Amino acid sequence: MNDTTRPFSSLMLDGPDRAPSRAMLYAVGFKKEDFSKPQIGIASTWSQVTPCNVHIDKLAIESSKGADAAGGKGVIFNTITISDGISMGTEGMKYSLVSREVIADSIETVVGCEGMDGFVAIGGCDKNMPGCLMAMARMNRPSVFVYGGTILPGCAHIKGEKKDLDIVSVFEAVGKHANGEYTDEELETVESCAIPGAGSCGGMYTANTMASAIEALGMSLPNGSAQNAVSEDKMRDCFDSGAAVVNLINLGIKPRDILTKEAFENAITVLIALGGSTNAALHIPAIAHAAGIDITIDDFERIGKNVPVLADLKPSGKYAMSDLVAIGGTMPLMKILLDGGLLHGDCMTVTGRTMRENIEKFTTPYPADQQIIRPLSNPIKKDSHLRVLYGNLAEGGAVAKISGKEGELFTGKARVFDSEGDGMKAILAKEINKGDVIVIRLEGPKGGPGMREMLGPTSAVMGMGLGKDVALITDGRFSGGSHGFVVGHITPEAFMGGTIGVLEDGDEITIDAVNNRIDVKLSDEEIAKRKAEWVQPAPRYTRGVLAKYAKLVSTASEGAVTDKYL
């Protein structure tokens, strides 16, 4: 290979004056011939912090082998991960969205510092994936994303009935326990059986949503988003991804050749068809921002008018991601969407082929008797479940997840809480009544800071049997496992003087997912009067990573990125 395949490593390693650099690499296992090969970074998010990432060290080794076999030199390095599931409902959850920026920054730092010519990035837990993609878009060096894969369902006998379980089952069991439906022993059975091993949370929650969206972007190999974490298919995907980066170097294909406006539209289309997480409305604009592409939450609304929900997947549906894996994964779905005129088939992908070419090469139709993916002629919902709402409660926008099962219109009286913890206490203490709109504020990107997910409160509401009788709105966000009548990402957030910050108990709130409105029944004069009397709370943090994040972060409607206004 000539130096056109080594535009960065040649500057680091070639010539007599670079002898000190080569000397250090001999010590980590390089041989003389390795210095003339493209250097392929393998960014691993391995950690014992969470089951989502506990197996990724093995996947990284396999990707390095693939890079080596294709004529490159794999170099494994690590970045962080955190666990949403473990930190959920605690002060620690404030670091969750922050970790996306830390991951992107750290991969950029290593790849840039070490002169890597391309890289593989392997992610498992939610924020790993957009963090990896943001780094790819920033660096614009040939690269492939590998998803760590989905977990298998847990299983237990509860009240004489065999039940498949996952992490959301545990959160909902907390509500059932508080409501007296589950005993202490039954709660312990659920918690001890729900997570059977390695892999990301098993429904169409945020990890599987983002993995599927990244494949639709063209940044993962075909069906790489729909593989079990512990499987031969996943190991093969890792090996092939390492080799694919070398192929991209040879072809001269870089991320920004793939990450076009049309590619982002493909990603939004696929995640809507799958019934994906509201977090995508944060992460897709953030990745697009890093790539220099203009994608906003309004694109979700525009595309969603024409894209139906086809997948009967948890949390609103019946099936787990592993069930989708068993019938063929995401590629047959993409063929359905392509044939229906809903995907841009000419977008380039990391295979070096277009999306259409990948679909034609790799797709076998779903089994005729499967019940997981509906045909376009018989969708679960004829348009998107992700609704972008505006109104006097969200002049800058808000994002709702409305499956239709909970209805499309809700009017109720506000029950206002200035933190997730206060709201959760009231729910578990049975202080929430039918017809209430639970308002959890000061949890936005700046006010939290960090925009905590509300899986605890939403699951407790469902577990207590109030899912169809109350709504929950917040300037924070929701886990992909949340369901019910929920609205998040309310902008402007309370900390920045948004209307949510001046709501009072008893104010009448209407959420209209038909006309895409969220309003409080107050006159403009009353809202202005309350805002004039409002005093911004003191920042929760004045030093460290959370303080830096709060200082730099943009609004939720802008993807909550930290470099927009630099």
Side-chain angles (χ1 to χ4, degrees), residues 3 57 62 64 103 125 133 229 253 272 314 431 523:
D3 283 347
D57 54 341
E62 206 65 19
S64 187
I103 291 165
C125 201
L133 266 289
I253 297 174
I272 289 172
K314 293 181 178 183
E431 295 172 1
S523 67

Side-chain angles (χ1 to χ4, degrees), residues 402-473:
I402 307 295
S403 71
K405 295 179 180 178
E406 58 285 287
E408 295 182 309
L409 181 69
F410 193 99
T411 297
K413 301 294 185 181
R415 290 293 310 280
V416 181
F417 303 96
D418 284 339
S419 72
E420 178 189 1
D422 289 346
M424 186 68 168
K425 288 176 185 175
I427 295 166
L428 294 179
K430 303 181 184 179
E431 295 172 1
I432 301 300
N433 300 310
K434 291 182 178 182
D436 284 346
V437 178
I438 303 165
V439 178
I440 298 179
R441 65 190 181 191
L442 293 174
E443 293 286 5
K446 288 183 177 292
M451 210 176 178
R452 285 196 287 185
E453 293 179 346
M454 303 292 149
L455 182 56
T458 59
S459 297
V461 165
M462 298 302 291
M464 297 182 78
L466 292 171
K468 295 182 179 180
D469 299 312
V470 302
L472 190 154
I473 71 172

Side-chain angles (χ1 to χ4, degrees), residues 379-394:
I380 289 172
K381 192 172 186 292
K382 64 181 178 60
D383 55 6
S384 179
H385 62 301
L386 299 180
R387 316 300 290 201
V388 177
L389 311 180
Y390 289 93
N392 67 1
L393 247 178

Side-chain angles (χ1 to χ4, degrees), residues 62-128:
E62 206 65 19
S63 283
S64 187
K65 289 178 182 177
D68 292 348
K73 174 56 181 172
V75 180
I76 300 173
F77 65 94
N78 268 82
T79 182
I80 69 160
T81 190
I82 56 87
S83 172
D84 292 351
I86 297 171
S87 63
M88 196 75 69
T90 74
E91 194 75 359
M93 186 63 188
K94 295 180 186 292
Y95 290 89
S96 170
L97 191 55
V98 178
S99 76
R100 184 188 75 181
E101 311 305 304
V102 176
I103 291 165
D105 290 350
S106 64
I107 294 175
E108 176 188 350
T109 299
V110 176
V111 170
C113 178
E114 301 303 323
M116 292 170 174
D117 301 302
F119 62 100
V120 175
I122 310 173
C125 201
D126 295 5
K127 310 311 167 298
N128 301 172

Side-chain angles (χ1 to χ4, degrees), residues 56 65 228 274 323 351 390 472 495 543:
I56 286 177
K65 289 178 182 177
N228 295 324
L274 287 167
D323 296 317
T351 64
Y390 289 93
L472 190 154
F495 186 79
R543 292 288 186 274

Side-chain angles (χ1 to χ4, degrees), residues 13-44:
L13 301 175
D14 292 2
D17 61 318
R18 303 311 303 169
S21 300
R22 296 192 295 272
M24 296 194 75
L25 290 172
Y26 275 119
V28 300
F30 273 56
K31 297 182 172 67
K32 182 176 180 179
E33 58 268 26
D34 292 330
F35 297 117
S36 62
K37 301 174 183 177
Q39 305 297 293
I40 310 300
I42 313 293
S44 168

